[in-house]
Amino acid sequence: MSGGDIDIQQAGAGTLDDTLDDRAGPRPEPAAGGAGLRKEDLHASVSSPVLDTMNFLNEITLRYPEAISFAPGRPYDGFFDNEQIFTHIRRFLDHLAAEGSTPQDVRTAVFQYGPTAGQIRDVLADSLRVDEDIDVPPESIVVTVGAQEGMLLVLRALMGGPDDVLLVSSPCYVGITGAARLLDVTLTAVEERENGISCDDVEAAILAEHARGRRPRAFYVVPDHSNPSGTTMDLKTRHALLDLAARHDFLVLEDTPYRLVSPGTPLPTLKSLDRERRVVHLGSFSKTLFPGARVGFVIADQRVVDADGRGGLLADEIAKIKSMVTVNTSSLSQAAVAGALLASDGRLSELNTDAAAYYGRAMSSVLAGLDRTIPADRRAALGVRWNRPTGGFFLRLEVPFRADNAALTRSAQDFGVIWTPMSYFYPQGGGEHAIRLSTSYLTTAEIEEGTARLARFIAAESAAAR
Amino acid sequence: MSGGDIDIQQAGAGTLDDTLDDRAGPRPEPAAGGAGLRKEDLHASVSSPVLDTMNFLNEITLRYPEAISFAPGRPYDGFFDNEQIFTHIRRFLDHLAAEGSTPQDVRTAVFQYGPTAGQIRDVLADSLRVDEDIDVPPESIVVTVGAQEGMLLVLRALMGGPDDVLLVSSPCYVGITGAARLLDVTLTAVEERENGISCDDVEAAILAEHARGRRPRAFYVVPDHSNPSGTTMDLKTRHALLDLAARHDFLVLEDTPYRLVSPGTPLPTLKSLDRERRVVHLGSFSKTLFPGARVGFVIADQRVVDADGRGGLLADEIAKIKSMVTVNTSSLSQAAVAGALLASDGRLSELNTDAAAYYGRAMSSVLAGLDRTIPADRRAALGVRWNRPTGGFFLRLEVPFRADNAALTRSAQDFGVIWTPMSYFYPQGGGEHAIRLSTSYLTTAEIEEGTARLARFIAAESAAAR
C-alpha cells in the first residue's frame, strides 16, 4: 500500500484526541496503587517519533480547517457509489455458485472462518496475470488486511534473529518503518539519489552490514511513483537490483500501490522480471479499489526448506503468522474486492483508466501551479526546486529553509497551506529542507489556490532564511 | 475470540497444503545461489509446535472425511442467511444518515480510510452498557480485526522489555500463545485446577516472577466457559482476582467469546466489576454474530502517563500500534456488525437467545451421550472422567492413556472419531492424558453416533494401556 494512509487515517483516531487533549494541560497523576501506566513501561513503538509527528500533522489540520492541505495521501472518492458494494459482493457470491459451490458452501464463505491465506486467491492470480504479467500460482498468494498487514507478516517471517537487518530506500513509507519498530527489527536506510535508489548504494549498504556481522535479509522499495518522493525506478535499475539480490542473497520487498492509478503504461514490476524468486511483492487495493475494504496481498513464491529437507512456500509461513495476527481477512471485504475484479475481467488497469487520468491531471495541475507561481528564473535565486513525477500521489519540493513543524505551523497559520515535512519519512535523519506534496485529493481550484499560497509561504521563509 | 478458531480456519489454508504436500516426500534442495530459504533462518514463531500440531489435526480431518469430528470450535451456521449481510450494512448506513451524516460523509465511511480505533465505537459502547453492564466511553474502545488482533495489540503495548512477562491460565487458547510467540514475549503458564484458575496459584506465579527479577504485566484468562477446558470462574474468584491485580499491580486480560452464546444468565464480566481499571477486556463477535466479519474489540480505559505528566488512554496507545498492523478494521465488516447491533437495540444476548439454547442442547447432548455410553459404574474402573460445563463450546475429558497424535490417528482410522489432544493447549507441557471435545458444530445425530464411537475408542485404548 504505502500512501500517506497512516497520516490520514489517524485524523479521526484516538491518537489525535490524545494530542488535542494534551493541550488542555497535564492531567493529575494516577493515585499510587491505581491502575495508571507509565508510557515508558510500554513498548517503544508507541513512542516512535513518527507517530508524534503524524499526530502533530493531524492537530495542525484540525486547528486550521480553512487551510488547503497537500498532506493527505488518500484517494479521491468522487468515483465511489455505495451501491457498488452490494453489487460487488453479490457478483462474487454468484461467481462462487457458478463455479460449483453449493448454497451451503457460499454461506460458509460469507459467514464462517475462512482460509487463513484468503478465499479469493484464484481471482487475484488471474488478475495479476492479465494486468501485471505476473504468473504465479494462487498458493503463493496470501490475502492480507491491507498491504500494511502484509508488511508486518513478511518482516516477521524473514527477520529471525537480532542480526537480521531490513534495508529500506529512504525517504521511506512510514508503514514499513512502523512495522519494523513494532517487531524490534533493525533497519538500515539507503538514501535515494535525485532519481531514486542506486544499486551501488544498496550494494554498499549490504557490504557494510556484512562487515558488521549482520545479515541484510531484504530491501524494501516502492519502484513506481514512490511515497514520499515520487521517484520511479528505471528499467535498467530494476534488472540491476534483481542481479544484486541474487549476488548477495537477499529478497526485494516490492510495494506497488500507485502503479495502476497513474497515467501511461507502467514499467514491468520487479516481480514480473523476477526469474529467481528474489522478489516478495506487496499488493494493495486501497488506491485501485477502495481503502475501506482493507484488502491487500503478498506474493511469496520462495521455497522454504526445513532441516529435514522438506519444503513449502514462504506464503505458507506467512499464512501461519497471519493466523496469529488476524486469523483471516474479512470475508465481506474479500468478496467486494473479488466482485470488482470479476466485473472488469481482472483488468484493474482498465477499471482505473479514469482514475489514472484524474490523478495525472491533478499532478500536472500541481506542477503547473508551481511553475506559474515560482517561475523558472526565480527558482535558483530562491534555492527552490522540485521533481516532476510522471504519476503517483506525491512530489518532492526542496526549500532553502528548515521545513520542520515550526515552519509548518507558520505555513498553516499565516499562509493557509499545509504540507508534510519530508523529514518525517527519513528513518535515520535527513530531509530537513524538503517537503512532500500530495496531489491526489484536492480539486483543481484548490490546487491553484494552494500552490499560490505555497509560493507566498516559500518566498517569505526563503527571505527570512537569508 | 478464543475458540478453536485457529484449528479450523487453517483447514483451507496454505499450512495444510504444505503438510499434505510433505507426504509426497522431500523436495529437491534449491540450487546453490537460488532463492531457497532455510526455515531455521525464519522467525521461530513459524516453527511453533502448536502450528505443527494444528496442521496434523487438519491433515487427519482431511484424511478421514467420514470420521465424526469433535475438533472444530466454529459456530453452527444454520442460523445464517446471506441477505442479512446486505440488510445489516444498509441499516448502519441509514443510521449514519439519521445521525446527521451527509451522503458524502456516509460514502467516506464506507470507502475511505477510517479512524484507526474504529467507526462503530459508540454503537459498541451502547451495546456493552445494555448487555454487559460495562459502562465505558467510546474513546476507551479499539475495534480490531477479530479478538486475535486485539490480543496482539495489547501484548505489544504492554510488553515493553525483555523482563516483562505474560501470565496465562493453562491450558490456554492458542491465539494468545501464538501472539506472544510472534512478539517474542515471555510467557508463564499458571495451571488451572479442576474448577478453573485459583488466585493462590496466580499469586504464587506473580511472586515467583518477582523473585526472578521479572515483571508480570498481565494475566490472560477466559473467565466464562473457557477454551479449551470449559471451566467458568466463580464470582468470588472474580473479585479475588481483581483484588490480586490491584495488590500486585498487573492487568487482567479478559477474553469473553462464549458468554452470550451460552444458556442462562452469565456471571458479571471482570470488566463490569473492575473499579480500578485493572481489566483490559477483549471482545469478539465471531460467535455472537459471525466469524467471517473478523470484528472484535478491546476495552482499554487505563490511564497512561508520559514522563512529562501528560496523559491519555491505553486505548490510544493500542490504536497507534494498530496503525502499524492493519491501519483500520474493514469498513464493510464494521458496518455489518454495527447494523446487527442496531437491529437488536444493542442486545446481543437477546439476538443470541436461540443460538445459546442450541449450543446448550448440543453440550447436553454430548454429556448425555458420554453418560450413556460410558456409564457411571464403569468410569472409575476405566479411569475416565469429564467435566460438565454449563455453556460454551468445549469440555474436558480425562483418559488413562496418552491422548497424543498417535492415539488420535488410531481414533480416526479405526473408530471414525476425531478430537483434539488437550496437550496442544499447554504452552509449557501437560495435558497428555486429556482430550478437548468441541460441542458446537455437530448435529444431534452426529453427537449420538460420535460419543458412541468415542466410548469404543476409549474402551479399547484403556484396555491396551492396562
Side-chain angles (χ1 to χ4, degrees), chain B residues 227 309 346 352 375:
Chain B
N227 177 12
N352 277 282

Side-chain angles (χ1 to χ4, degrees), chain A residues 248-392:
Chain A
H248 290 297
D249 193 21
F250 65 91
L251 295 176
V252 179
L253 310 187
E254 175 185 41
D255 192 8
T256 59
Y258 307 107
R259 285 178 60 78
L260 303 182
V261 288
S262 295
T265 305
L267 290 170
T269 60
L270 290 168
K271 189 67 203 166
S272 70
L273 301 172
D274 181 25
R275 296 289 163 264
E276 294 202 45
R277 302 187 180 189
R278 289 288 170 190
V279 177
V280 173
H281 181 97
L282 296 159
S284 168
F285 295 107
S286 288
K287 278 73 188 182
T288 51
L289 293 173
F290 63 106
R294 309 306 310 126
V295 177
F297 60 92
V298 176
I299 305 173
D301 58 353
Q302 287 70 24
R303 306 291 314 166
V304 176
V305 180
D306 73 13
D308 300 326
R310 290 180 303 181
L313 293 178
L314 181 58
D316 302 331
E317 308 300 328
I318 288 170
K320 286 183 193 172
I321 294 173
K322 184 174 167 74
S323 76
M324 305 176 230
V325 177
T326 58
V327 183
N328 54 253
T329 302
S330 160
S331 59
L332 308 183
S333 289
Q334 289 191 73
V337 164
L341 288 174
L342 291 165
S344 59
D345 293 324
R347 295 184 191 276
L348 269 183
S349 51
E350 289 179 17
L351 195 67
N352 277 282
T353 303
D354 289 348
Y358 176 89
Y359 292 125
R361 284 193 301 273
M363 176 65 76
S364 297
S365 297
V366 172
L367 291 171
L370 292 173
D371 288 343
R372 191 170 53 244
T373 54
I374 312 177
D377 55 358
R378 287 184 48 218
R379 281 170 222 165
L382 276 172
V384 174
R385 55 186 205 154
W386 55 88
N387 62 355
R388 310 189 75 86
T390 53

Side-chain angles (χ1 to χ4, degrees), chain B residues 51-373:
Chain B
L51 290 171
D52 287 342
T53 51
M54 290 298 170
N55 280 343
F56 181 81
L57 186 57
N58 291 332
E59 188 186 349
I60 285 288
T61 305
L62 274 206
R63 203 192 294 175
Y64 302 102
E66 299 305 314
I68 292 174
S69 179
F70 289 96
R74 52 168 50 185
Y76 173 70
D77 53 18
F79 306 118
F80 299 147
D81 167 15
N82 296 345
E83 288 305 311
Q84 290 168 335
I85 295 300
F86 303 102
T87 309
H88 291 329
I89 294 178
R90 281 191 201 280
R91 185 181 298 267
F92 178 63
L93 302 188
D94 291 346
H95 163 80
L96 290 179
E99 296 276 300
S101 292
T102 65
Q104 167 64 36
D105 293 339
V106 175
R107 195 171 70 181
T108 296
V110 173
F111 288 102
Q112 280 287 9
Y113 294 106
T116 311
Q119 55 188 348
I120 61 170
R121 296 192 290 172
D122 52 345
V123 178
L124 300 190
D126 288 345
S127 172
L128 286 163
R129 209 171 295 114
V130 299
D131 238 355
E132 289 285 22
D133 195 26
I134 293 176
D135 191 0
V136 292
E139 295 71 30
S140 67
I141 299 174
V142 179
V143 183
T144 55
V145 181
Q148 183 64 39
E149 191 196 18
M151 291 177 205
L152 185 86
L153 301 179
V154 171
L155 288 193
R156 179 66 309 168
L158 292 179
M159 302 293 154
D163 293 333
D164 290 343
V165 177
L166 171 71
L167 303 183
V168 297
S169 66
S170 174
C172 185
Y173 174 53
V174 293
I176 189 79
T177 50
R181 279 204 189 81
L182 195 140
L183 298 173
D184 297 319
V185 162
T186 306
L187 186 144
T188 292
V190 182
E191 198 147 336
E192 278 191 350
R193 299 188 185 188
E194 174 102 17
N195 294 314
I197 207 73
S198 149
C199 285
D200 290 347
D201 297 340
V202 178
E203 183 163 33
I206 296 274
L207 295 174
E209 292 302 332
H210 286 161
R212 298 172 71 180
R214 302 203 297 198
R215 198 163 58 154
R217 295 283 276 166
F219 171 63
Y220 170 88
V221 66
V222 180
D224 301 276
H225 317 299
S226 174
N227 177 12
S229 64
T231 57
T232 291
M233 188 184 289
D234 62 32
L235 187 61
K236 193 174 146 215
T237 305
R238 289 176 197 235
H239 283 293
L241 183 60
L242 294 175
D243 289 346
L244 193 68
R247 208 153 67 241
H248 291 297
D249 193 21
F250 64 92
L251 295 175
V252 179
L253 311 187
E254 175 184 42
D255 192 8
T256 59
Y258 307 107
R259 286 178 58 78
L260 302 182
V261 288
S262 295
T265 305
L267 290 169
T269 59
L270 290 168
K271 189 66 204 166
S272 69
L273 301 173
D274 181 25
R275 297 289 163 265
E276 295 203 43
R277 302 187 180 188
R278 289 289 169 188
V279 177
V280 173
H281 182 98
L282 297 159
S284 168
F285 295 108
S286 289
K287 277 75 187 180
T288 51
L289 293 174
F290 64 105
R294 310 304 312 124
V295 177
F297 60 93
V298 176
I299 305 173
D301 58 354
Q302 287 71 24
R303 306 291 313 166
V304 175
V305 179
D306 73 13
D308 301 326
R310 289 181 304 183
L313 293 177
L314 181 58
D316 302 331
E317 308 300 328
I318 289 171
K320 286 183 193 172
I321 294 174
K322 183 174 168 76
S323 76
M324 306 176 229
V325 176
T326 58
V327 183
N328 55 252
T329 302
S330 160
S331 60
L332 308 184
S333 289
Q334 289 191 73
V337 163
L341 289 174
L342 290 165
S344 59
D345 292 323
R347 295 184 192 276
L348 268 184
S349 51
E350 289 179 17
L351 195 67
N352 277 282
T353 304
D354 289 348
Y358 176 90
Y359 292 125
R361 284 194 301 274
M363 176 65 77
S364 297
S365 297
V366 172
L367 290 171
L370 292 173
D371 288 342
R372 191 171 53 244
T373 54

